């Protein structure tokens, strides 16, 4: 606000907001607001009857174009966030989608009657203002009000402006208040929208992908190894699941002749929650007929690089005190080589499952866990347990390749070593941000892998194993061309580019336990 304005005493603590309000005071203030609303309605000034307001300018546009707009009439609208009453004149701050702008309201400009009503308005009310653009003596670009209209009466009390809304749990539960009080939060979600727009631009304009929609409700939750959410369709009387991936549907479209397809949307996995995991999250999957793992590596690099450039103007991502250069090309790291480098266990010298178990037990793995694992599964377990969390090891952009076939039921075998697959996982900051294959298109091999995965599912050895999907096998029998497929964790990419410490900071309404519900289990 203009620095020539003095802080005047006001009996309404809420309006000055110079101290925290107790719950008792909050209840009192809400009551006062309801009384104000009743008086407005009784006077025929019900704010909730307004349906529209002609907005001709926004706060930042006015400030950025002051020279052209000085003395011009503008019509703005937004939330009342601060005011100072000084007798027959007031300064107020209006917050719209671009930020805040000061308005100067004089009694003689809007009539004494309107000014008396105006003085009863509260922080949080939504106003429409018509006035002219000017600059105060102290150089603050403002709007000199000629008309002030109450468009919405806020009957809830916003957090104190000095203490703000800082409690993370309350911020996530009341995102609408979080967005009002914390401009950096609004900026994060504008950046999120930019990144998603850039994903679409790169996929469609640079690589010729077609955006499609596939089912969210399915009878078989395939395309990944994860536990699904389950529901029931009453009319059909069948159990259904929320998708954990859209991979198998997208590959059916490749079979059908849509050579390059992608979908960006919500996936659902009934698993743990932490700073990188939310049960409902945004994924982008794309499939390129006649492409391979190497082709979608390039797509991965460009999606991240172009998004970083679009948001920050640089390929250097600064995240929580670290810096990562996402300029292509990214390095490649073989999974077995990583295990050897970190643990010393050399799987190139190990041929049998029994030898692998002995080596892993000797290194320190739990014998009970190890006894049911194959050589390939143990490579993956060693990488996950001992390599992924090594500080700095997977920080700079890297493609981890050489995944064992046991953990890759949908990817082609490597022709030089059929024990591993043509697959990569992309890591930045130690996080997996993408997963990709040269897609398995051999229907017989696919069926046999499904049989093995279904057996693990049925036995209870792996409740995240991939279920049998005979219709997908049938699609492969019709004929899937050589295809490169890619899945990107969009939320994690957004976290990195926006320097957000938790996935909940980049999801508008993250999954939360209902208030009052007791913990059951962990």
């Amino acid at each position: 606000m203009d620095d020539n304005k003095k802080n005047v005493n006001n009996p309404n603590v809420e309006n000055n907001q110079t101290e925290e309000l107790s719950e008792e005071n909050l209840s009192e203030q809400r009551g006062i607001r309801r009384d104000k609303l009743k008086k407005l309605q009784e006077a025929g000034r019900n704010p909730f009857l307004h349906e529209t307001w002609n907005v001709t300018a926004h706060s930042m546009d006015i400030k950025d174009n002051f020279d052209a707009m000085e003395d011009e009439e503008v019509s703005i609208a937004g939330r009342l966030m601060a005011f100072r009453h000084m007798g027959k004149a007031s300064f107020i701050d209006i917050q719209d989608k671009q930020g805040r702008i000061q308005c100067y309201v004089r009694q003689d400009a809007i009539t004494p009657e309107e000014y008396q009503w105006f003085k009863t308005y509260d922080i949080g009310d939504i106003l429409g203002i018509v006035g002219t653009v000017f600059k105060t003596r102290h150089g603050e670009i403002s709007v000199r009000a000629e008309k002030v209209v109450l468009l919405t009466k806020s009957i809830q009390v916003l957090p104190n402006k000095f203490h703000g809304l800082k409690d993370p749990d309350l911020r996530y539960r009341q995102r609408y208040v979080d967005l009002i009080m914390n401009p950096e939060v609004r900026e994060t979600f504008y950046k999120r929208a930019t990144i998603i727009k850039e994903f679409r631009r790169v996929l469609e304009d640079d690589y010729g992908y077609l955006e499609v929609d596939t089912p969210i409700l399915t009878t078989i939750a395939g395309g990944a190894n994860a536990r699904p959410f389950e529901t029931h369709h009453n009319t059909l009387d069948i159990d259904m699941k929320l998708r954990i991936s859209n991979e198998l549907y997208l590959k059916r479209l490749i079979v059908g002749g849509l050579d390059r397809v992608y979908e960006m949307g919500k996936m659902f996995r009934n698993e743990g929650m932490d700073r990188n995991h939310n049960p409902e999250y945004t994924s982008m999957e794309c499939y390129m007929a006649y492409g391979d793992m190497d082709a979608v590596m390039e797509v991965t690099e460009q999606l991240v690089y172009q998004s970083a450039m679009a948001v920050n103007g640089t390929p250097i991502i600064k995240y929580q005190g670290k810096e990562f250069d996402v300029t292509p090309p990214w390095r490649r790291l073989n999974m077995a080589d990583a295990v050897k480098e970190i643990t010393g266990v050399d799987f190139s010298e190990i041929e049998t499952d029994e030898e692998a178990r002995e080596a892993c037990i000797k290194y320190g793995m739990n014998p009970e866990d190890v006894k049911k694992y194959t050589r390939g599964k143990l490579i993956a377990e060693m990488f996950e347990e001992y390599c992924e969390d090594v500080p700095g090891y997977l920080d700079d952009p890297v493609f981890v390749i050489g995944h064992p076939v046991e953990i890759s039921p949908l990817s082609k075998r490597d022709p030089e070593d059929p024990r591993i697959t043509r697959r990569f996982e992309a890591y930045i900051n130690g996080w997996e941000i993408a997963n990709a294959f040269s897609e398995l298109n051999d229907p017989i091999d696919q069926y046999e892998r499904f049989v093995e995965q279904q057996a693990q599912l049925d036995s209870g050895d792996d409740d995240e194993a991939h279920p049998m999907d005979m219709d997908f096998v049938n699609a492969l029998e019709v004929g899937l061309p050589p295809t490169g497929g890619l899945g990107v964790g969009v939320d994690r990419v957004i976290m990195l580019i926006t320097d957000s410490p938790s996935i909940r900071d980049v999801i508008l309404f993250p999954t939360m336990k209902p208030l009052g519900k007791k913990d059951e289990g962990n």
Side-chain angles (χ1 to χ4, degrees), residues 471-508:
D471 182 74
F472 179 68
V473 174
N474 184 70
L476 294 188
E477 290 179 348
V478 171
L480 174 70
T483 298
L486 167 67
V488 178
V490 176
D491 299 311
R492 291 187 184 177
V493 173
I494 294 171
M495 286 175 65
L496 289 167
I497 293 175
T498 62
D499 193 12
S500 299
S502 169
I503 194 170
R504 294 184 175 193
D505 293 317
V506 299
I507 296 176
L508 279 168

Side-chain angles (χ1 to χ4, degrees), residues 393-428:
Y393 189 59
L394 300 175
D395 273 4
D396 290 322
V398 58
F399 293 117
V400 175
I401 60 176
H403 291 68
V405 69
E406 291 92 332
I407 64 165
S408 310
L410 298 165
S411 55
K412 276 184 182 286
R413 295 177 188 265
D414 189 317
E416 297 181 3
D417 184 351
R419 297 175 300 181
I420 63 174
T421 59
R422 291 279 291 157
R423 174 185 178 185
F424 73 76
E425 291 175 303
Y427 285 82
I428 302 177

Side-chain angles (χ1 to χ4, degrees), residues 309-326:
M309 293 298 294
V311 170
N312 297 324
T314 173
I316 307 300
I317 291 177
K318 297 182 179 181
Y319 185 79
Q320 305 291 293
K322 301 179 183 179
E323 291 189 3
F324 316 113
D325 187 346
V326 297

Side-chain angles (χ1 to χ4, degrees), residues 234-361:
N234 292 331
T235 300
L236 297 177
D237 192 25
I238 57 173
D239 291 332
M240 302 193 77
K241 300 172 176 63
L242 295 180
R243 67 183 180 188
I244 58 174
S245 167
N246 48 9
E247 175 173 345
L248 303 190
Y249 281 107
L250 292 173
K251 286 198 277 193
R252 285 174 169 93
L253 298 180
I254 299 293
V255 170
L258 302 181
D259 281 357
R260 294 192 179 191
V261 294
Y262 82 95
E263 183 176 13
M264 190 152 34
K266 294 294 186 182
M267 305 298 157
F268 309 87
R269 298 190 180 181
N270 196 356
E271 52 190 24
M273 297 172 61
D274 57 34
R275 73 170 187 164
N276 290 337
H277 294 86
N278 192 69
E280 175 185 1
Y281 67 98
T282 300
S283 172
M284 189 290 298
E285 293 200 32
C286 62
Y287 292 83
M288 176 193 297
Y290 313 110
D292 63 1
M293 178 184 81
D294 298 307
V296 294
M297 271 188 180
E298 178 187 317
V299 175
T300 308
E301 291 169 337
Q302 288 300 319
L303 286 170
V304 177
Y305 170 74
Q306 297 292 352
S307 295
M309 293 298 294
V311 170
N312 297 324
T314 173
I316 307 300
I317 291 177
K318 297 182 179 181
Y319 185 79
Q320 305 291 293
K322 301 179 183 179
E323 291 189 3
F324 316 113
D325 187 346
V326 297
T327 304
W330 301 354
R331 73 183 178 106
R332 299 187 184 193
L333 174 66
N334 185 279
M335 182 178 286
D337 291 344
V339 171
K340 179 182 178 181
E341 184 177 348
I342 297 301
T343 70
V345 177
D346 187 357
F347 278 91
S348 68
E349 302 291 330
I350 297 172
E351 295 296 328
T352 67
D353 294 342
E354 188 56 40
E355 289 175 330
R357 293 184 189 114
E358 290 176 1
C360 291
I361 290 171

Side-chain angles (χ1 to χ4, degrees), residues 446-462:
Q446 182 66 85
Y447 174 77
E448 290 172 351
R449 294 196 213 179
F450 277 169
V451 167
E452 183 178 342
Q453 291 270 312
Q454 185 67 54
Q456 294 180 37
L457 196 61
D458 293 341
S459 68
D461 288 341
D462 186 353

Side-chain angles (χ1 to χ4, degrees), residues 23-33:
E23 186 59 40
E24 181 180 353
N25 285 335
L26 283 171
S27 297
E28 180 182 352
Q29 292 297 330
R30 285 193 289 265
I32 291 172
R33 288 184 176 220

